[in-house]
Amino acid sequence: MRGIVKRFPGVVANDHVDLKICRGEVLAILGENGAGKTTLMNVLYGLYLPDEGEIHIKGRKVLHRSPRDAIENGVGMVHQHFTLVDDLTVAENIVLGAEKFKVFYDLEKLAKEIDEFMKTIGLYVDPLKKAYELSAGEKQKVEILKALYRRVEVLILDEPTSVLSPIEVRELFKTIRNLKSRGISVVFISHKLDEVMEIADRIVVMRAGKVVGELAGHEATKQLLATLMIGSRAVNIEEKFGKHVRPAGKLLEVVDLWVKGDRGEDSLKAVNLVVRKGEIVGVAGVAGSGQRELAEAIYGLRPAWRGRILLEGKDITRSPTAERIKMGVSLIPEDRLRYGVAAELPVYENIYLEKVHLEGRKSLLDRIGLRVLDKKGMVDYAKKVVEKFSVKTPSVFTNAGKLSGGNIQRLIVGRELERKPLLVIAGEPTAGLDIAATNFVRKMIVEMSEAGAGVLLISSDLQEVLELSDKVVILCNGEVMGVFRPGELSMEEVGLMMSCAKRMSKEEVERAWGT
Amino acid sequence: NVTRPATTVTTPMQVAMAFIFPGSITDTAWNEAGYQSMLSFVGSHPEVKYAWVQGVYDPTQIVSVAKSYAQQGYKLIVGVGFQFGPPFAQIASQTPGVYYLAIAGAKEYVGPQVSGANIRTDQSCFVEGYIAIQISKTKQIGYVAGMNVSELGLCEIGLRNGIKYAGYDPDKVLHVVYTGDFHDVTKAKLATESLIQQYHVDVIKSMGDGVQLGAISAVKEFPGVFIMPSSTYHPELYAEQLLVGEVWDWSAVYSQFYNDYLSGKLASGGQYYWADLANGGIKLIQGSACPSDLWQKAQDVIKGIINGTISTGFTP
Amino acid sequence: MSLERIVSSILSLGVTLSTPLAIAGIGEVISERAGVIDLGIDGIMLLGAFIGFHVSLQTGNTYLGYLAGVGVGVLMGLILAVLSVYLKLNQAITGMGLYFLGFGLSDFFYRTIYGEKEVYLPPPTPLSVPVLANIPVIGPSLFQQLDMVYFMYALVPLAWLLINRTKLGLWIRSVGENPKAADAMGVNVSMIQTVSVLVGAGLAGLAGAFLSIGITQVFYENLTYGIGFIAIGLVYFGKWSPVRTFAGALLFGLSWSVAISTQSYFNAIGRPDLVYFLLALPYLIITLALVIVSRQARGPKWLGRPYIRE
Amino acid sequence: MGYVIRIRPKPAKPLAIVLAPVASFALAFFVGGLLMVWAGVDPISGYTAFVSGSLTTFPGFMQTLVQATLFMLMATGIAISNRAGVLNVGAEGQYIVGAILATYVAVELQQTLHPALVVVLAMLLAAVGGALWAAIPGVLRGYMNVNEVVTTVILNWLAYRILQWIIRGPLRLPGPQLYPMSPPVTATLPILEPSSGLNAGLVIAVALAVFSYFLLFNTEVGFKIRVTGSNPDLARYAGFGVERVIVLSMGYSGALAGIAGGVEVLGNLHYLFEGISIGLGYTSIIVSLVARDHPLGVIAASIMFGTIYSGSSFLQTATHLTYTFSKALEGLIYLFVLVTTLFAFYEIKLVKVS
Ligand SMILES: Nc1ncnc2c1ncn2[C@@H]1O[C@H](COP(=O)(O)OP(=O)(O)OP(=O)(O)O)[C@@H](O)[C@H]1O
Ligand SMILES: Nc1ncnc2c1ncn2[C@@H]1O[C@H](COP(=O)(O)OP(=O)(O)OP(=O)(O)O)[C@@H](O)[C@H]1O
Ligand SMILES: [Mg+2]
Ligand SMILES: [Mg+2]
C-alpha cells in the first residue's frame, strides 16, 4: 500500500500511509484508539475507497471497490465485530458470497463439503449449527474459515483477542502459526503489547493516521512500543492501583438469580453475588457466559424470572430501570454500538441522558413529564464531563454520531461515572481504549470505590479483573464456578473454572462471600 | 379527451350555472346520468353559460369548489349528490345572491338559497321488481348497491313492494348486498358473483357509481343472468342480458330550478323537486331480454303508479 | 340452494380475492427478506392495474396486459431502489411517496385516456384442472379458476424455494439479516436489495393487473381500495414466510366472502346497520391475528434500515 | 475503471433547508405542467387559476387557511410521533374518531349546556378519542413490535366502518329521511372570517404547533421522545420506558388528529356524515415530511399544502381535471422533497475510480 490517504469529515484517518505485507509473515499493527488501523485495513479490504494512494498486490496495481474485489485478489479480513449472519448455519455463512457453489443447493450436502474442508484446514466447528449458537471463539474460527474458504493469501485480524478467554487466545495463536506455516500472511491488529510481542514477526506502529515506527518482533520492548504509540507523552504502562479502603456494609446482594437469554435459554442459573460499599467485584468468564445478562438484570433491562436483587437491603427485583437509576445504579454498557449514544442528538444531551431521572420533581408539571429542561445547566455539566474525561469533540453541540469509537466510549464512561452513583456496573469499560485512556478509566473506577461506591467489574480482560478487583467471580455457562480474592488461585485453576472444568464447593463460595 | 372549454353563448341576459359531480362522469351510473341531463338541459337552454367539474366528493372540497364558482360569477350551482346539501347550507349565507341545488340532497337542508331534488327510484324499482320476479327462473332476485342511502334505499323499498305486488314474498326471494362504498369495484363484482353462485339469483338490480360497474362485470360472466342497471342506458355493454333499462333525467329538475330562479321564486326560499315517472325524470326502457307481453303488463303498473292507484311503499 | 354450493362459492370468492393479496404479499416478503420494506405496494398495484388494463385493451392480449403490469411495477420499484437502496433515504417515507404517486397517476392517466367512455375488457374464462376440478366443494372453487390463481399456487412454493434453497435466496436472507456481514463476504448488498425490490414490486404490479384484467375487467379510481396495505400486514402475520403469507391472504379473502355472504341474513332480521360491522370483520380479524401472531414474530434484523458502509 | 456513488452527511446551510421544499414544489409543478399539456390543458391558464384561487385573492387565501388548519393539526401530531420513531399513517382514522365523538358530545349536550362548555367538552373528547385510537397501534408497536404502518391503515378502515354504522344507528338524524347523517351541531367554534368560514380551529392549530415545538425541544417528555426516535435501545437503557414513550407519542399524535376531526365538525361542517375525509390524514404525512418533523415547519408546510387544496379546486373548475391530479401532484412533491432534502443535507458524489 502506497501513500494511502483516507479522510473523514473532520479527521484524516490515514495520512499518506505506506505499508508492506510480506508472504508468510505475521505483521502486527499497533496503535492507540483512532490511530487509523481499522481504516487502513478497511481500505485494503475494499470497504472504503481511499482518497489518495494505491494498492499493489504481487507487483500488480489493483483497485478494491468492494470486498469482492479484495477477496478476488487474495485478501481476507476478520472484523473487530463479528460479521456472521446469525440466522444462517455455519456452512451457509462460510459459502456466502463465494463463487463456488451452484444456484440451487442442498444444506446437507453443503455441510458435508464444508466438513471436509474444515478437516483439511484443521479448524473445526459444527457446520449445521446456526451462528447465534456459537461461542465467541467458535465464531472467530468461522470468520477465519470464511476467509480461508476463499483461498486468501493475506488474512487481516482486527483486534481478534478482545473477546476471547485466555485459553481461546492460546488456541488462536496456534492457528495463526499454522497459517503462517502454510505461507499465508497474517495482519494482526491489537492494543495489547504482550500479545503483539508474542506473535508478531514485524510490528508497525501507527499514531494519528501515520506510520511512526516499524521494528522486528524480537527487537520490541514494551517501553519502546508504548513510546512510539503514544508519542512524547510520558506514560507509565504498568500503573498499579493500590487501594486504601476497607469494604464496608453490603450494597448489592443477588440471591438465586435466574435469567433468560435472548433466545429463551437460561443464561444465568442460581447466581448469588454480594458487592459491598467500597468494593470492586470482578466478574470473569469466557464471552457469552452470562456476564452481559447479569449486568442487564441488575440494571433492570432484563427480567429475573426467579431470585431477588437487593440494593442496600431494598428489593429492587421488579423495579424499573428508572427507579434503579434514581437509587444510584449506573451501567457502562458492554455493547456501545447499540446502547452507546443517540447519534442524531448533540453531545450535551447524550451526556445528560439519565440525569433526567435525578432532577427533583416539585410541581405537578414536573411529575407528568412536562418539566422544562435547564439547557444551560445541561451544557455546563456536559462541558465539565467532556473536559474531565477528555472526550475529543468540536463542541458539546456536535452530534454524538460524529465522534470516534474511542471518544464515544469516553463519553459513556464520563456520563456513567460523573453522576456519582452508588453502584457502578462496568461492562468492558476499557475494551477498545488505548493505554492512556485505559489507565484513566481504571483510575476513575478505583477512585469511585475509594469514595465508597461499589463496583461490579465485568471484563474479558482477565489481567484487568485480577489487578483491579477485591474479589473475583468466575462465571461459566451462566453458573458461578468460584469466588476468590486475586492471588488466592493460580492462573491454571482460573482457566479451568472459566471452561467449566473446575468448580468450588458451596462452602468455599460462601466463605469467600462472607469476608 | 376530458377537457372542453366552458361553453359560452353571449346573450344580454346570461345566467351562469355550474354543475359539480362527485364522481367520474363516465361511470355509466349516477354521475353520467347527471352529466347527460346537464347536456340535455343546456342544449335546450343555449342562453345559459355553464361549467362543470367532476370528482368532487368530500365536503371541504365541495365548499371550496362551490365558492370558486360563486367567485367566478356563477349564480346557480348544482351539486349532483346527497352529500351536497349540508355544505351548500353552510356556505349559502357567505355567498349572497347565489342559489344552490343539491340533487338527492336532504330535505332538512333546504332553506334560503338552497333547494333540493330527488328521484323516485321506489317507482322504477317497483316496476323492475315486478318484472324481474316473473322472468326469473329460479325466483331469486339480487340487489347490489353501494350504501343504504337516498335513491339506493328507495329502490330497495320499491323492489320489495313490486315483488309483493307480483305475488311473491320479498323476504324469501330478494337478496340485498350493500358493499359499504360507492367505489369498491372489486368487492362489488365478487359480491354479485356470490349472489349468483350461492342463491342462484338470476336477475340483478344494480345501483351506484363504481359498484354498478362491478355488478355489470360479474353479470357478463354468467350468460343466463339478467341485469337491470340504473341511471344510464348502455345496451351495448350487456346486450342480450339487459332486462330493463332505467334512465334518470334531471333536465326537467334543472329546468324547474332555472325557471324558478328567473321568476324570482327562489328568492323567497328553497324548493324541493322530484324526478319521477310522471314528469319524465325516470324512463324505463325495454331490454332485449324482456318479453313484450310482460312489458305490456308492466305498462299498466306504470300507469297505476302514476295515477296513484298503486302504492310503491313510499310517499314523499 | 345447497350448503355445498354455498360453501363452494364462499371458498371460490375467497380464493379469488386472496390472489392479488397473496401475489403482492409474497412480493413484499421477498423485498422485506432482503431488508427493504416497500410501503408503496398499493400505489404500485394501482398503476399496474391501470397499465395492465390499458395494454390488455389495446392489444387484446391478456398476457401482454399482465406483462405491462409487471413492467410498470418494476419501474416503480426502481424508484424505490434508487432512493432507498442507493441514496439511503428512509424506506417507509419513500414507500409512502410511491403510494401517493401511484394513486394519483393511475386515475389521472385513466381519465385522460378514457375520459369519454367506460370500457370493459371481455370476461376471462376460468381454466379448469382436469380431475381436480371434479372434487366436490373444493374442486370447483380451487381448480376452476382464473389463470393468475394458478400462478399464485405456483408462486408460493417457488418463492419458498427461492428464499430457502437457492444461492440468491441465501444472499437475500443474509442481506436482510446482516448486510455488513454479507458485504464483508463480497455479496453486493445494494444489488441484491435492488433485485429483491424489483421482484417484489413487479409482483405487486402483476397483482394490480390481475385486479383489473382478471377480476373487474374495468378500471376505476382507487381500484385496490387499500388491498396493498393489507398485503403488507399479511407479511407480518405470515412472519416473512411465503407460505404463511399465503395462508393469511386466504384468511382475509375468506373472512370477507363470509361477511358478504351473510349480509342477507342481517337485512332479513331488520338490522341493516349491522352490515357495516360485517364489512369491518375482515379488518378486525386480520388485526386480531396480527396481535396474536406478533408475539413471536421476528423479522429480518436489518429490515427498514438503510445499509451504509462508511 | 468504475464509478461509485458516495454519500456523506454535510451540515446544511439554512438557506438550503428553506430552499429544499420550495424547489421540490417547483419541480413537482413543472412535471404537473407537462402532465397538463399531455392532457390537453393549457398549463398557464391552469396555474393562473390555481394561484388566484389560493394565494393572490383574499377569499382564495382564506380558503387556503381553512384547508391548512386540518393539515396543521394532523401533521404536527405526525411530526411528534415520527420524532419518536413511529410512523403514524392513521391520522385519517383518528380524525374520524375525533369527529364522531365531538359530534356525539355536541348532539347530546347542546340542548342542556352552554354552547361554549359543549365545545370545550366536545374538543376534549375528540382529543381523547383520537388518542385512544392511536394508542392501539402504539401499544401493538411498543409492546409487541407490530409494524404501526400496517395497523394504523387497518384501523383507518375500521374507523370508517364505525362512522358508517354510527350515522345509521346511534347518531342518526331522527325522522323520516333518506340520508344517514347526524343531527345538526349548533354548538360551534367561533368564526374568524365570515366569508370563508375560517374558524377558531386555526388558532387552536397554531397554538398546538407552537406548544408541540416547546414540548419537543424543551421538556423532559420531548427529550425522551427524541432519544427514543434516535436510538430506542439507548432510551431503554436510560430507563425511559420506551414502550410508554411510543404509546404516549402515538397518543399525542392521535389526540391532535382527533382535535382536527372536532374542528372539522364544530368549526366547518356542523354535522357528521360518511364523507368527512378522503385522505387528509395521508396528505398530512407529506406535510410533516416537508416540514422535516419540525412543528414550526409544519405551520409553513400546512399553508403550502392548503394552497394545493384550495388552488386545485380552481384548477379543477377551470380545466375539468379531477382531484386525482392534485393527488399526483402531492406524490410528486413528496418524492421531490425526498430528493431535494437529500441534496441539501448530504454531499453526493459520483466518484470515478481508476
Ligand atoms: N465511518 C467513519 N466516519 C467518520 N470517521 C471515522 C469513520 N471510521 C473511522 N473514523 C475516524 O477515523 C479515525 C481512525 O479510526 P480507526 O477506526 O481506523 O482507528 P483504529 O486505529 O482502528 O482505532 P481503535 O483502536 O479504536 O479501533 C478516528 O478518528 C475515527 O473517529
Ligand atoms: N438448503 C436446505 N437444505 C436442506 N434443508 C433445508 C435447507 N434450507 C432449509 N432447510 C430445512 O427446511 C426446513 C424449513 O426451513 P425454514 O425454517 O427456513 O423455513 P420456514 O421458516 O418454515 O419458512 P420460510 O423460510 O418460508 O420462512 C427446516 O427444517 C430447515 O432446516
Ligand atoms: Mg476504530
Ligand atoms: Mg479499530
Side-chain angles (χ1 to χ4, degrees):
Chain A
M1 302 177 83
R2 283 189 210 147
I4 301 291
V5 176
K6 176 71 189 172
R7 297 185 194 93
F8 290 113
V11 254
V12 185
N14 289 152
D15 186 1
H16 296 92
V17 176
D18 297 317
L19 187 79
K20 194 175 67 191
I21 303 166
C22 307
R23 186 181 298 276
E25 74 165 345
V26 178
L27 169 67
I29 301 181
L30 196 64
E32 284 194 274
N33 289 125
K37 309 177 293 285
T38 303
T39 304
L40 183 66
M41 290 302 113
N42 282 343
V43 167
L44 177 58
Y45 191 53
L47 279 169
Y48 295 166
L49 272 181
D51 296 316
E52 289 170 36
E54 311 177 333
I55 302 170
H56 294 259
I57 290 176
K58 293 182 197 158
R60 202 165 50 85
K61 188 173 155 204
V62 295
L63 168 68
H64 290 175
R65 245 176 312 158
S66 69
R68 186 171 213 107
D69 297 340
I71 290 167
E72 248 163 52
N73 289 320
V75 178
M77 179 160 175
V78 176
H79 292 266
Q80 207 164 336
H81 307 281
F82 293 135
T83 52
L84 294 178
V85 183
D86 273 352
D87 259 21
L88 300 187
T89 58
V90 167
E92 286 170 323
N93 265 296
I94 289 175
V95 297
L96 181 65
E99 286 306 336
K100 286 194 253 176
F101 77 113
K102 294 180 224 70
V103 173
F104 285 94
Y105 70 96
D106 178 342
L107 193 53
E108 308 274 304
K109 244 199 232 154
L110 186 69
K112 226 170 267 160
E113 258 175 58
I114 294 299
D115 201 59
E116 267 156 42
F117 165 72
M118 289 195 278
K119 279 177 190 143
T120 60
I121 300 286
L123 273 179
Y124 191 84
V125 183
D126 180 356
L128 279 173
K129 260 194 181 173
K130 293 222 168 168
Y132 66 80
E133 298 170 317
L134 304 179
S135 74
E138 283 177 313
K139 280 185 182 171
Q140 194 159 54
K141 280 188 205 163
V142 177
E143 293 280 7
I144 295 173
L145 282 164
K146 266 164 54 174
L148 297 180
Y149 186 73
R150 286 163 183 72
R151 310 193 179 289
V152 300
E153 291 162 275
V154 177
L155 180 64
I156 306 164
L157 303 173
D158 192 358
E159 301 196 26
T161 58
S162 55
V163 288
L164 301 184
S165 73
I167 299 170
E168 286 171 326
V169 170
R170 220 165 298 147
E171 241 185 275
L172 173 70
F173 282 3
K174 234 191 280 166
T175 308
I176 292 179
R177 292 198 183 95
N178 173 16
L179 293 177
K180 190 172 130 180
S181 69
R182 299 157 133 265
I184 293 173
S185 319
V186 176
V187 181
F188 181 89
I189 299 179
S190 180
H191 296 296
K192 295 180 187 162
L193 303 179
D194 300 318
E195 290 174 357
V196 167
M197 285 163 50
E198 181 181 343
I199 193 83
D201 299 317
R202 199 154 58 89
I203 303 172
V204 167
V205 184
M206 289 183 71
R207 184 183 346 132
K210 295 200 178 83
V211 171
V212 292
E214 184 182 330
L215 53 169
H218 58 267
E219 299 170 357
T221 67
K222 276 196 181 182
Q223 199 57 53
L224 185 59
L225 287 176
T227 322
L228 276 173
M229 255 169 83
I230 296 169
S232 52
R233 281 173 285 154
V235 280
N236 177 3
I237 51 157
E238 300 268 313
E239 212 167 306
K240 283 286 176 219
F241 300 95
K243 283 195 30 173
H244 313 291
V245 288
R246 299 257 87 217
K250 279 184 189 173
L251 176 65
L252 171 78
E253 200 173 352
V254 170
V255 185
D256 186 30
L257 185 66
W258 292 70
V259 169
K260 299 255 185 235
D262 289 338
R263 293 178 194 267
E265 77 286 2
D266 281 323
S267 55
L268 285 183
K269 298 165 205 156
V271 168
N272 292 301
L273 196 87
V274 179
V275 180
R276 291 162 194 278
K277 290 177 186 147
E279 183 182 49
I280 301 179
V281 174
V283 178
V286 179
S289 301
Q291 302 98 312
R292 188 165 62 87
E293 287 81 0
L294 178 64
E296 290 180 356
I298 297 173
Y299 196 62
L301 292 174
R302 197 176 277 277
W305 69 271
R306 221 175 107 180
R308 281 182 308 150
I309 301 169
L310 306 170
L311 189 71
E312 292 198 294
K314 249 177 73 188
D315 192 334
I316 58 165
T317 320
R318 307 257 171 276
S319 308
T321 301
E323 199 55 44
R324 302 183 203 209
I325 291 172
K326 270 186 239 165
M327 292 175 70
V329 184
S330 146
L331 169 71
I332 298 171
E334 175 185 335
D335 189 350
R336 68 176 188 235
L337 283 180
R338 197 172 145 201
Y339 292 122
V341 290
E344 291 99 59
L345 300 192
V347 164
Y348 82 89
E349 288 191 330
N350 272 290
I351 289 178
Y352 180 71
L353 203 67
E354 303 106 318
K355 273 190 65 103
V356 134
H357 302 297
L358 305 179
E359 309 272 357
R361 264 157 232 277
K362 284 166 245 120
S363 68
L364 179 69
L365 282 188
D366 287 2
R367 240 169 269 142
I368 60 170
L370 289 179
R371 191 169 55 74
V372 179
L373 299 176
D374 165 20
K375 285 217 174 144
K376 190 173 172 305
M378 288 163 71
V379 169
D380 289 345
Y381 177 75
K383 282 184 176 154
K384 198 168 97 192
V385 173
V386 163
E387 192 175 336
K388 184 163 169 192
F389 290 82
S390 39
V391 182
K392 265 182 240 136
T393 168
S395 94
V396 293
F397 301 104
T398 311
N399 285 356
K402 299 233 168 87
L403 303 191
S404 77
N407 281 309
I408 287 179
Q409 175 79 339
R410 285 174 216 237
L411 186 157
I412 297 167
V413 172
R415 177 175 77 201
E416 298 307 313
L417 297 188
E418 190 56 23
R419 65 178 147 94
K420 309 273 178 284
L422 267 183
L423 172 70
V424 180
I425 309 161
E428 308 285 356
T430 61
L433 289 184
D434 54 46
I435 298 178
T438 300
N439 281 343
F440 177 74
V441 169
R442 289 181 183 168
K443 206 166 106 223
M444 286 306 300
I445 288 175
V446 172
E447 273 177 27
M448 296 291 305
S449 78
E450 284 179 343
V455 178
L456 191 67
L457 173 67
I458 298 173
S459 174
S460 48
D461 184 343
L462 191 57
Q463 207 56 46
E464 176 170 86
V465 171
L466 293 175
E467 262 172 44
L468 296 184
S469 310
D470 297 302
K471 241 174 240 161
V472 178
V473 181
I474 305 281
L475 281 182
C476 183
N477 220 348
E479 288 180 84
V480 173
M481 307 308 294
V483 182
F484 57 92
R485 290 174 173 284
E488 280 179 2
L489 295 183
S490 69
M491 282 307 273
E492 185 80 43
E493 283 172 297
V494 173
L496 286 173
M497 283 183 181
M498 283 172 78
S499 45
C500 292
K502 186 173 185 285
R503 181 181 209 138
M504 282 166 84
S505 72
K506 234 183 173 153
E507 294 73 44
E508 282 175 303
V509 170
E510 259 161 34
R511 199 170 330 119
W513 283 131
T515 53
Chain B
N1 204 320
V2 266
T3 48
R4 265 173 254 111
T7 312
T8 323
V9 183
T10 6
T11 55
M13 258 295 294
Q14 200 182 45
V15 177
M17 199 163 168
F19 296 83
I20 309 174
F21 305 103
S24 157
I25 53 154
T26 59
D27 61 357
T28 70
W30 176 259
N31 293 282
E32 187 175 326
Y35 178 73
Q36 295 297 344
S37 311
M38 175 189 81
L39 292 183
S40 119
F41 166 74
V42 295
S44 56
H45 294 82
E47 75 282 9
V48 172
K49 173 191 170 188
Y50 75 103
W52 57 272
V53 60
Q54 60 179 333
V56 178
Y57 183 79
D58 71 318
T60 39
Q61 283 263 312
I62 291 172
V63 165
S64 124
V65 165
K67 280 188 179 169
S68 120
Y69 277 130
Q71 268 181 56
Q72 292 167 44
Y74 288 86
K75 292 295 173 212
L76 298 178
I77 297 177
V78 181
V80 187
F82 74 94
Q83 65 271 62
F84 284 82
F88 281 173
Q90 177 195 334
I91 59 170
S93 63
Q94 299 164 12
T95 51
V98 178
Y99 295 90
Y100 298 91
L101 171 63
I103 300 290
K107 245 184 184 151
E108 285 72 14
Y109 291 94
V110 172
Q113 293 172 259
V114 182
S115 301
N118 215 329
I119 191 145
R120 292 288 304 274
T121 47
D122 54 312
Q123 296 183 343
S124 48
C125 293
F126 184 97
V127 180
E128 287 167 293
Y130 172 81
I131 295 177
I133 192 62
Q134 298 186 59
I135 212 95
S136 169
K137 294 198 182 69
T138 57
K139 298 301 172 205
Q140 302 291 328
I141 312 294
Y143 176 46
V144 180
M147 294 177 201
N148 185 1
V149 298
S150 185
E151 76 280 0
L152 299 96
L154 278 183
C155 177
E156 189 184 333
I157 297 173
L159 282 173
R160 289 186 180 283
N161 288 296
I163 289 168
K164 209 186 276 167
Y165 185 76
Y168 293 85
D169 179 0
D171 287 340
K172 296 225 172 69
V173 305
L174 181 67
H175 303 277
V176 181
V177 171
Y178 290 109
T179 59
D181 299 276
F182 284 112
H183 308 296
D184 196 342
V185 187
T186 310
K187 298 198 191 113
K189 147 113 200 232
L190 295 178
T192 311
E193 266 187 60
S194 88
L195 289 183
I196 296 171
Q197 290 176 350
Q198 290 171 31
Y199 300 108
H200 298 236
V201 159
D202 63 355
V203 183
I204 297 277
K205 172 71 189 165
S206 67
M207 195 176 283
D209 305 22
V211 171
Q212 175 149 305
L213 295 184
I216 291 171
S217 140
V219 168
K220 290 170 84 166
E221 283 181 21
F222 296 88
V225 175
F226 301 129
I227 182 134
M228 305 186 295
S230 308
S231 66
T232 54
Y233 185 56
H234 282 286
E236 77 281 5
L237 287 180
Y238 21 73
E240 65 278 11
Q241 286 170 280
L242 181 66
L243 185 58
V244 183
E246 173 179 352
V247 178
W248 299 342
D249 185 354
W250 299 100
S251 56
V253 168
Y254 296 161
S255 295
Q256 285 179 48
F257 177 61
Y258 174 67
N259 291 330
D260 286 349
Y261 171 71
L262 291 182
S263 71
K265 198 172 166 192
L266 290 182
S268 60
Q271 304 295 311
Y272 205 80
Y273 311 103
W274 282 101
D276 57 20
L277 287 172
N279 65 14
I282 306 180
K283 293 191 193 80
L284 291 176
I285 300 166
Q286 181 183 8
S288 51
C290 186
S292 290
D293 53 333
L294 186 55
W295 186 250
Q296 281 316 314
K297 279 202 276 174
Q299 295 313 306
D300 298 337
V301 175
I302 293 178
K303 276 192 206 106
I305 292 173
I306 292 177
N307 64 30
T309 50
I310 297 177
S311 157
T312 60
F314 173 80
T315 24
Chain C
M1 79 196 111
S2 69
L3 186 65
E4 185 185 312
R5 196 176 160 104
I6 289 181
V7 172
S8 166
S9 152
I10 288 178
L11 258 179
S12 163
L13 292 173
V15 169
T16 310
L17 186 69
S18 63
T19 301
L21 276 169
I23 294 177
I26 289 173
E28 182 75 15
V29 166
I30 293 173
S31 92
E32 290 198 14
R33 285 298 278 262
V36 185
I37 181 159
D38 179 358
L39 292 185
I41 290 267
D42 204 56
I44 297 174
M45 286 176 76
L46 279 169
L47 215 51
F50 172 69
I51 301 289
F53 167 79
H54 178 55
V55 168
S56 163
L57 194 72
Q58 297 305 320
T59 62
N61 185 327
T62 324
Y63 291 98
L64 283 181
Y66 288 142
L67 215 60
V70 174
V72 75
V74 169
L75 271 181
M76 293 282 274
L78 208 56
I79 299 182
L80 181 67
V82 168
L83 291 183
S84 68
V85 175
Y86 287 95
L87 298 182
K88 316 292 178 198
L89 289 174
N90 182 311
Q91 293 171 8
I93 290 174
T94 314
M96 287 309 290
L98 280 192
Y99 164 65
F100 292 123
L101 195 66
F103 181 93
L105 282 185
S106 58
D107 187 62
F108 175 73
F109 286 157
Y110 171 66
R111 283 190 205 228
T112 307
I113 297 175
Y114 295 96
E116 293 298 314
K117 203 112 229 79
E118 204 65 55
V119 261
Y120 282 84
L121 286 164
T125 8
L127 310 171
S128 124
V129 179
V131 188
L132 292 175
N134 299 330
I135 305 173
V137 187
I138 62 162
S141 44
L142 301 185
F143 300 108
Q144 193 168 353
Q145 277 283 11
L146 299 171
D147 39 17
M148 280 299 129
V149 175
Y150 300 110
F151 174 79
M152 168 185 69
Y153 294 157
L155 182 63
V156 176
L158 280 179
W160 187 89
L161 272 177
L162 169 75
I163 292 172
N164 293 306
R165 295 291 156 92
T166 66
K167 188 153 111 180
L168 179 61
L170 183 62
W171 287 342
I172 290 177
R173 281 181 286 148
S174 67
V175 159
E177 283 290 324
N178 190 344
K180 207 170 164 183
D183 189 17
M185 288 332 288
V187 175
N188 188 338
V189 176
S190 304
M191 174 84 94
I192 298 299
Q193 290 191 327
T194 302
V195 167
S196 312
V197 166
L198 295 189
V199 169
L203 285 173
L206 179 65
F210 174 63
L211 214 52
S212 61
I213 299 172
I215 301 188
T216 61
Q217 285 98 55
V218 70
F219 186 81
Y220 199 74
E221 64 171 69
N222 194 12
L223 187 74
T224 54
Y225 244 70
I227 278 188
F229 286 102
I230 301 292
I232 300 172
L234 293 177
V235 175
Y236 285 78
F237 169 78
K239 297 190 204 166
W240 293 269
S241 146
V243 182
R244 276 181 294 251
T245 300
F246 166 64
L250 274 183
L251 176 68
F252 186 87
L254 287 175
S255 57
W256 180 82
S257 73
V258 168
I260 277 291
S261 305
T262 42
Q263 253 198 40
S264 289
Y265 172 74
F266 285 89
N267 288 327
I269 61 167
R271 287 303 302 275
D273 57 322
L274 290 181
V275 162
Y276 294 90
F277 268 139
L278 273 186
L279 290 170
L281 202 64
Y283 299 97
L284 266 177
I285 288 179
I286 215 72
T287 311
L288 286 181
L290 260 176
V291 172
I292 293 162
V293 162
S294 64
R295 287 166 189 283
Q296 328 106 40
R298 198 186 64 86
K301 272 208 206 76
W302 210 263
L303 183 59
R305 286 193 269 174
Y307 170 63
I308 302 171
R309 194 189 274 170
E310 49 176 290
Chain D
M1 265 305 285
Y3 289 90
V4 176
I5 305 177
R6 187 146 71 189
I7 305 173
R8 282 178 185 166
K10 69 174 181 204
K13 301 190 184 69
L15 188 65
I17 298 177
V18 177
L19 276 185
V22 174
S24 55
F25 269 67
L27 282 168
F29 278 91
F30 176 71
V31 176
L34 293 183
L35 288 176
M36 276 195 228
V37 171
W38 176 66
V41 173
D42 172 20
I44 306 283
S45 61
Y47 281 137
T48 309
F50 182 95
V51 171
S52 74
S54 61
L55 285 172
T56 53
T57 59
F58 178 76
F61 187 64
M62 286 300 114
Q63 201 55 46
T64 296
L65 290 183
V66 172
Q67 297 284 353
T69 303
L70 299 182
F71 290 142
M72 221 177 275
L73 284 164
M74 290 198 250
T76 304
I78 292 169
I80 297 289
S81 52
N82 273 350
R83 288 276 179 164
V86 201
L87 182 57
N88 179 12
V89 184
E92 186 87 0
Q94 294 139 21
Y95 163 90
I96 290 176
V97 169
I100 291 175
L101 288 173
T103 314
Y104 184 75
V105 171
V107 168
E108 286 293 309
L109 300 178
Q110 60 196 7
Q111 265 83 35
T112 46
L113 291 183
H114 187 277
L117 188 60
V118 174
V119 168
V120 171
L121 284 178
M123 294 307 269
L124 277 180
L125 206 67
V128 170
L132 290 180
W133 200 249
I136 300 171
V139 167
L140 287 175
R141 160 67 197 273
Y143 291 90
M144 297 174 189
N145 208 21
V146 181
N147 181 291
E148 70 278 8
V149 171
V150 172
T151 46
T152 47
V153 168
I154 292 177
L155 283 173
N156 289 347
W157 281 104
L158 274 179
Y160 179 59
R161 295 299 183 211
I162 291 174
L163 170 66
Q164 289 187 315
W165 166 72
I166 221 142
I167 51 173
R168 288 174 173 78
L171 260 183
R172 188 190 168 98
L173 173 61
Q177 47 95 35
L178 296 165
Y179 321 91
M181 55 177 62
S182 75
V185 168
T186 55
T188 58
L189 283 170
I191 298 289
L192 301 180
E193 200 280 315
S195 82
S196 64
L198 182 67
N199 60 65
L202 181 67
V203 180
I204 299 177
V206 173
L208 280 173
V210 173
F211 171 74
S212 302
Y213 165 76
F214 180 77
L215 182 84
L216 193 59
F217 293 104
N218 291 291
T219 69
E220 186 176 320
V221 180
F223 179 59
K224 289 181 177 177
I225 287 177
R226 284 180 296 124
V227 172
T228 305
S230 174
N231 182 347
D233 286 326
L234 177 71
R236 180 164 293 119
Y237 150 81
F240 287 176
V242 175
E243 297 81 7
R244 269 220 317 266
V245 172
I246 285 175
V247 175
L248 215 76
S249 62
M250 273 300 273
Y252 185 79
S253 188
L256 292 200
I259 289 175
V263 164
E264 180 68 357
V265 171
L266 301 185
N268 221 1
L269 287 177
H270 308 158
Y271 69 99
L272 181 68
F273 87 121
E274 50 203 319
I276 59 165
S277 174
I278 43 163
L280 295 177
Y282 292 97
T283 302
S284 300
I285 300 169
I286 315 184
V287 178
S288 78
L289 173 84
V290 171
R292 308 197 81 245
D293 297 335
H294 196 295
L296 297 184
V298 164
I299 297 179
S302 301
I303 293 174
M304 285 165 109
F305 275 81
T307 62
I308 295 189
Y309 265 57
S310 58
S312 69
S313 297
F314 276 70
L315 184 67
Q316 284 176 49
T317 57
T319 63
H320 301 159
L321 289 170
T322 67
Y323 84 102
T324 42
F325 175 77
S326 61
K327 288 280 159 213
L329 211 56
E330 283 174 26
L332 286 168
I333 290 174
Y334 190 95
L335 289 175
F336 283 127
V337 165
L338 287 179
V339 175
T340 50
T341 2
L342 187 76
F343 282 99
F345 288 85
Y346 294 85
E347 172 195 302
I348 301 168
K349 269 201 205 140
L350 196 61
V351 193
K352 193 169 156 187
V353 282
S354 55

